[in-house]
């Protein structure tokens, strides 16, 4: 169990790696991130969800807030 706690989560697909490489610790929109990394929309949702679940990326809206917010207002950044 201790080795699992010590393991650092990482990006596991090329799309996830591209997204992480394009991001900073400053809040960015999906449009900005995709413009930098070129990940297609078909990959975006799964990749950003996985990165968020692994604690590598955070969204400016919590899970409950997302239901009432337009996804165009979502901003993302790297977790410090």
């Amino acid at each position: 169990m201790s080795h699992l706690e010590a393991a650092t989560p990482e990006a596991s697909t090329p799309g996830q790696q591209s997204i992480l490489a394009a991001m900073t610790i400053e809040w960015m929109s999906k449009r900005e991130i995709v413009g930098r990394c070129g990940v297609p929309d078909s990959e975006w949702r799964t990749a950003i969800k996985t990165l968020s679940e692994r604690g590598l990326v955070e969204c400016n809206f919590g899970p409950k807030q997302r239901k009432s917010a337009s996804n165009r207002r979502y901003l993302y950044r790297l977790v410090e």
Side-chain angles (χ1 to χ4, degrees):
M1 184 70 167
S2 64
H3 95 285
L4 290 176
E5 291 173 356
T8 303
E10 296 179 4
S12 56
T13 66
Q16 292 172 15
Q17 293 167 355
S18 295
I19 290 170
L20 284 181
M23 294 180 72
T24 68
I25 59 170
E26 301 297 322
W27 291 109
M28 300 172 71
S29 68
K30 173 187 172 184
R31 175 181 275 173
E32 292 171 307
I33 299 165
V34 170
R36 287 183 177 191
C37 69
V39 170
D41 269 353
S42 58
E43 264 184 76
W44 167 261
R45 183 180 298 248
T46 303
I48 201 70
K49 181 180 177 190
T50 302
L51 293 171
S52 180
E53 288 171 352
R54 292 181 180 173
L56 299 170
V57 171
E58 65 182 330
C59 180
N60 63 329
F61 289 102
K64 291 181 181 178
Q65 294 172 314
R66 289 183 196 182
K67 291 179 182 177
S68 63
S70 164
N71 65 357
R72 292 185 180 141
R73 293 187 7 210
Y74 290 8
L75 298 175
Y76 303 91
R77 69 177 176 186
L78 294 174
V79 174
E80 294 183 73

